[in-house]
């Protein structure tokens, strides 16, 4: 499996969630980039968020967001060290 533009867009949405406060949701407005709107819908269809336009993370979504944000942190640290 490779990182398709669609998966990258979903990872970008997951990276926007505040993991320190699970009561804080996310709203992808209708004026957002079409790729972001589509990514938010796919995350909902996969059961990771509560609403088509974002909402809150489900328990599965919280795990996915943790992994996505951890990966970003790891890659950023690795990039700084180079």
């Amino acid at each position: 499996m490779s990182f398709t533009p669609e998966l990258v867009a979903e990872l970008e949405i997951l990276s926007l969630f505040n993991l320190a406060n699970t009561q804080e949701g996310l709203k992808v407005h209708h004026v957002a980039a079409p790729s972001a709107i589509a990514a938010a819908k796919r995350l909902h269809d996969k059961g990771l968020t509560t609403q088509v336009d974002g909402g809150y993370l489900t328990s599965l979504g919280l795990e996915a967001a943790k992994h996505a944000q951890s990966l970003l942190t790891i890659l950023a640290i690795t990039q700084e060290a180079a």
Side-chain angles (χ1 to χ4, degrees):
M1 176 181 257
S2 62
F3 286 96
T4 64
E6 292 80 13
L7 285 175
V8 171
E10 291 171 22
L11 290 168
E12 288 175 348
I13 297 292
L14 289 172
S15 72
L16 296 174
F17 281 93
N18 180 359
L19 299 180
N21 183 358
T22 58
Q23 297 300 312
E24 186 177 320
L26 187 73
K27 169 80 171 167
V28 178
H29 293 275
H30 69 280
V31 295
S35 60
I37 294 169
K41 182 181 181 323
R42 286 191 305 274
L43 290 173
H44 178 262
D45 292 345
K46 293 175 181 180
L48 301 177
T49 59
T50 60
Q51 300 292 321
V52 174
D53 61 354
Y56 300 98
L57 291 168
T58 63
S59 58
L60 181 60
L62 180 59
E63 283 299 310
K66 286 178 183 177
H67 288 294
Q69 292 184 25
S70 292
L71 179 60
L72 285 173
T73 300
I74 290 166
L75 293 176
I77 291 170
T78 304
Q79 193 173 40
E80 290 172 7

